[in-house]
Amino acid sequence: MRKLKSVNDFVVKFANVNGSGSASANHMFAKAIFRMGIPVSPRNIFPSNIQGLPTWYEVRVSSKGYLGRRGGVDLMVCVNPQSMAQDIKEVDSGGYFIYDSTKPLDIRLMRDDITFMGIPFTKICMREFKNARQQQLFKNVVYVGALAALLDLDFAVLKDLVGDQFKGKEKLIAPNVHAMELGYQYALENFSCPLDIRVERGGNIAPHILEFDHILMDGNTATALGAIYGGATVAAWYPITPSTSVVDAFGKYAQRMRIDPGSGKKNYAIVQAEDELSAMGMVIGACWNGARAFTATSGPGLSLMSEFLGLAYFAEVPAVLVDVQRAGPSTGMPTRNQQSDILAAAYASHGDTKHILLFPATPRECFDMAVEAFDLSERLQTPVIMLSDLDLGMNDWMSPPLEWDDDYHLDRGKLLNAEALEKAEQFGRYLDVDGDGICYRTLPGTHPEKGAFFTRGSSRDEYAVYTESGEEYVKNVDRLLRKFETAKQYVPEPKIKLAKTNKKDKKGNKLGAIFFGTTASPSYEALEDLAEEGVSIDTMRLRAFPFNRDVDDFINSHDKVFVIEQNRDGQMRRLIINECEIPPGKLVPILEYSGTPITARSIAQDIRQSLSTGGATVTTLHPELA
């Protein structure tokens, strides 16, 4: 039997039971590899119930620094009989399947092209630990110890991680280390260690990874830090997975960084509203009054907030919304990943409405774009929606450390102070003085006599006076569209990479690919694999809506463009067709909507299939590659 052989380049997947305490042990395994200086990307794939259903934790080890899902599993650690049949099928030919051999394995599940390795985790824990809860929890720690021997992990690093995890609870350190030693010793005595797939400190690591320090951080934490540094003082929200940790983290950092040093009083407010619509209303009220405020939600909350988003758009009040997307519609799969709120966010609310969207792809971009969202919302006097997703928001990603410019100043846009109002003959809140569609505004109480105006969601003239004049209405909504065009020069530009074989070709490559957010990393990997097969594809990573001229130019310079996204209906493709007036046949959708993050293997396979069939739509899910 052919066995997989690889150093610092493989996928390990853990199959556990939700609520069994496995997450911390699995995370410790990933962090140990990371502390050895090897690029790693962990993903927790968990159900929405509290306890009992299958849960998986996938760890991608990649010396080249690929952070997206590859597809396939090289080594499966299965301690959940409920999912064992499925888990065995997922292992690549030549791979390894580790299972709890306390009970014999059903021979009907056996495969002759993978190596089965039985370790009696339950038996070991029943023998060594008397407490029932410890017997359950330490089973996870035992398999981490076994993996240390099998994959050649530095055991000292694992011991340090245990010490860090139980700092302040020192009595728990010794039994956890003992449990790891039990697994480590069993593997050494019963198997040839290390396996042909293993880790090696400093071995064949890409230079761009070794050059910089890196951290492990989830996108929601980075977003919360961005809100702090971006000047936010108000967060109004209603709890919803997977965005809850954004406001949780914001509260944690606000307690450290938003306390008045003299009085000790809080310089921030976090309000849990009765529902998402109320939360959005509170954000609009706070922003209208001069604060920088935001809310965080997911798809169902975005739907409820649409009415107030329309009000903020029409009344031209700044507001920031962080949408951490999940699988819909309705409740959908609340703990699974999708990029399916694109159209709902872009055109949220009734009538002719368009919103500014930002698409971060990394924790670093979550931080930077959160800051930028507040600047854009005040500069353009409109809501800005940052579209993250569960994969980015709740999973740890390897990232360069966050950086901050101490010379940064809040961009409050065309905001008149008392002195400017004093000089003005007449203040027109909705008067376009500069021709860019952006009017001058003022905050309540800025001047005792000047600058007052009514903020309403109904039609008005340039001086905020109520009117039902069709002429005034058309003038107003046309100006709003002009402002949306102005936004194109302020939003983050797309990132374009030309295939190596085409950098000198001014006409450009015939094939292109567009992607955004967490689809980026597996897309880059897939296209690099295709390039080795002789298929050269230029890429464009979208980072914002509205689309600037670069998007039109990129599409028009290619014969065929693949649009890679994680939803059923190809929402980004539809948005591009609608906004850029692109012939639909030119854009080929590459889709994944099973709820698990898209893989490099499935992207490459779909593109191959499309090229072989002349560009037919590809929507297959490839469960064998998931």
Side-chain angles (χ1 to χ4, degrees):
M1 179 182 65
R2 181 187 69 89
K3 291 185 179 182
L4 294 174
K5 295 183 178 181
S6 182
V7 176
N8 295 340
D9 191 5
F10 53 87
V11 175
V12 177
K13 192 169 185 178
F14 300 88
N16 304 102
V17 179
N18 200 34
S20 63
S22 60
S24 60
N26 298 341
H27 187 57
M28 186 188 304
F29 168 79
K31 288 182 69 175
I33 297 175
F34 177 74
R35 285 198 179 183
M36 290 178 65
I38 303 165
V40 66
S41 179
R43 279 173 177 80
N44 193 14
I45 304 169
F46 59 100
S48 57
N49 80 325
I50 297 174
Q51 189 169 2
L53 289 180
T55 182
W56 293 271
Y57 192 91
E58 185 176 289
V59 180
R60 172 79 188 277
V61 180
S62 171
S63 59
K64 294 182 179 180
Y66 292 133
L67 301 181
R69 293 184 72 217
R70 184 200 69 184
V73 176
D74 299 309
L75 188 152
M76 177 75 74
V77 180
C78 180
V79 291
N80 184 6
Q82 184 180 349
S83 65
M84 185 172 287
Q86 171 189 340
D87 298 327
I88 291 174
K89 290 179 181 179
E90 284 193 42
V91 181
D92 282 357
S93 180
Y96 301 85
F97 187 85
I98 298 174
Y99 65 98
D100 188 346
S101 60
T102 302
K103 293 183 178 180
L105 182 67
D106 188 340
I107 60 173
R108 292 172 298 179
L109 300 177
M110 299 286 285
R111 288 171 50 186
D112 58 9
D113 64 333
I114 65 175
T115 300
F116 287 86
M117 307 174 72
I119 301 177
F121 301 121
T122 301
K123 184 178 180 180
I124 291 172
C125 290
M126 293 287 287
R127 182 188 69 226
E128 295 289 331
F129 305 103
K130 303 306 179 185
N131 181 280
R133 182 59 176 164
Q134 285 186 332
Q135 290 170 352
Q136 179 188 32
L137 293 175
F138 286 141
K139 183 164 59 175
N140 308 312
V141 184
V142 170
Y143 67 61
V144 171
L147 288 174
L150 293 169
L151 300 179
D152 208 14
L153 271 69
D154 189 334
F155 197 84
V157 171
L158 283 169
K159 290 178 66 175
D160 289 343
L161 284 167
V162 171
D164 293 344
Q165 182 171 333
F166 296 107
K167 190 174 182 179
K169 301 178 181 178
E170 276 68 21
K171 65 179 182 179
L172 297 177
I173 295 177
N176 273 273
V177 172
H178 178 55
M180 277 198 305
E181 288 173 338
L182 291 171
Y184 189 86
Q185 196 62 34
Y186 186 93
L188 286 178
E189 293 173 356
N190 291 274
F191 305 108
S192 177
C193 297
L195 301 177
D196 290 331
I197 58 171
R198 60 185 178 84
V199 296
E200 180 180 308
R201 189 188 292 268
N204 67 338
I205 307 298
H208 74 279
I209 299 296
L210 293 173
E211 184 179 354
F212 303 103
D213 292 329
H214 284 76
I215 58 174
L216 281 179
M217 173 177 263
D218 64 86
N220 283 355
T221 298
T223 299
L225 269 172
I228 289 286
Y229 278 81
T233 57
V234 177
W237 69 310
Y238 185 80
I240 182 172
T241 301
S243 70
T244 296
S245 57
V246 174
V247 180
D248 286 346
F250 177 78
K252 179 180 70 174
Y253 291 119
Q255 288 177 1
R256 292 168 49 189
M257 306 173 73
R258 288 280 186 271
I259 303 296
D260 182 79
S263 64
K265 292 183 178 180
K266 296 178 179 179
N267 288 329
Y268 68 95
I270 299 176
V271 184
Q272 180 174 328
E274 60 267 33
D275 54 41
E276 288 90 348
L277 180 61
S278 298
M280 192 73 238
M282 294 174 185
V283 169
I284 294 171
C287 290
W288 175 85
N289 203 45
R292 285 195 158 186
F294 77 101
T295 187
T297 192
S298 192
L302 174 67
S303 299
L304 288 171
M305 293 175 180
S306 292
E307 183 178 357
F308 266 149
L309 283 168
L311 170 64
Y313 171 83
F314 196 60
E316 298 180 74
V317 179
V320 172
L321 165 60
V322 178
D323 177 6
V324 188
Q325 299 169 93
R326 71 189 205 188
S330 186
T331 304
M333 294 190 292
T335 60
R336 299 301 166 94
N337 192 69
Q338 275 187 3
Q339 298 171 312
S340 53
D341 296 348
I342 309 300
L343 293 176
Y347 302 127
S349 196
H350 51 279
D352 295 318
T353 312
K354 292 185 180 183
H355 298 297
I356 312 297
L357 308 182
L358 302 177
F359 307 114
T362 64
R364 173 64 185 271
E365 283 196 337
C366 284
F367 175 79
D368 293 339
M369 286 187 178
V371 177
E372 192 163 11
F374 289 101
D375 283 346
L376 286 170
S377 68
E378 293 208 280
R379 183 185 303 152
L380 299 167
Q381 300 171 34
T382 195
V384 173
I385 304 174
M386 190 172 88
L387 287 168
S388 175
D389 60 29
L390 184 148
D391 185 21
L392 177 56
M394 294 191 69
N395 287 317
D396 280 339
W397 288 67
M398 195 173 72
S399 170
L402 308 182
E403 295 181 358
W404 183 249
D405 182 0
D406 289 331
D407 293 329
Y408 164 81
H409 295 286
L410 277 60
D411 184 350
R412 310 224 58 181
K414 296 181 178 180
L415 180 61
L416 298 177
N417 57 23
E419 182 181 359
L421 284 170
E422 188 66 41
K423 294 178 181 178
E425 293 184 10
Q426 187 176 11
F427 171 65
R429 171 62 184 96
Y430 300 109
L431 187 64
D432 186 5
V433 176
D434 303 318
D436 58 2
I438 306 172
C439 306
Y440 286 84
R441 67 183 178 116
T442 184
L443 300 179
T446 298
H447 192 282
E449 299 174 355
K450 295 184 177 182
F453 64 94
F454 284 105
T455 301
R456 54 164 60 93
S458 51
S459 184
R460 70 287 169 127
D461 65 12
E462 293 172 328
Y463 297 93
V465 177
Y466 173 78
T467 179
E468 295 189 15
S469 164
E471 181 180 353
E472 290 293 334
Y473 172 81
V474 169
K475 184 189 299 184
N476 189 53
V477 294
D478 284 351
R479 179 184 57 76
L480 290 173
L481 188 59
R482 189 161 64 249
K483 180 169 69 171
F484 196 73
E485 287 295 313
T486 299
K488 293 180 180 180
Q489 65 184 282
Y490 294 124
V491 298
E493 74 286 349
K495 294 290 187 179
I496 297 174
K497 292 184 178 181
L498 300 181
K500 291 182 179 179
T501 56
N502 297 288
K503 285 185 176 180
K504 296 181 180 180
D505 184 1
K506 295 182 179 179
K507 294 182 180 179
N509 188 17
K510 291 184 178 181
L511 297 177
I514 294 175
F515 40 80
F516 60 97
T518 55
T519 308
S521 187
S523 294
Y524 284 130
E525 179 180 358
L527 299 181
E528 287 182 18
D529 290 343
L530 289 170
E532 293 180 1
E533 301 171 14
V535 181
S536 296
I537 302 177
D538 299 329
T539 65
M540 179 171 65
R541 178 168 70 89
L542 297 173
R543 298 200 298 157
F545 174 72
F547 307 127
N548 65 16
R549 189 66 199 174
D550 289 344
V551 178
D552 297 80
D553 292 343
F554 181 87
I555 296 172
N556 291 330
S557 64
H558 294 82
D559 294 340
K560 181 187 297 184
V561 178
F562 300 100
V563 184
I564 307 168
E565 50 186 312
Q566 301 182 69
N567 57 72
R568 183 194 69 183
D569 295 337
Q571 293 185 26
M572 183 61 77
R573 174 178 176 270
R574 291 171 184 248
L575 187 62
I576 293 171
I577 291 170
N578 189 46
E579 293 293 326
C580 302
E581 299 183 353
I582 301 296
K586 193 169 189 175
L587 303 180
V588 180
I590 303 293
L591 308 175
E592 167 65 64
Y593 46 91
S594 66
T596 53
I598 195 168
T599 68
R601 285 185 180 179
S602 68
I603 293 169
Q605 181 169 320
D606 283 349
I607 291 177
R608 291 189 197 99
Q609 180 181 337
S610 176
L611 294 174
S612 66
T613 58
T617 298
V618 179
T619 58
T620 52
L621 296 182
H622 307 294
E624 75 279 5
L625 301 179

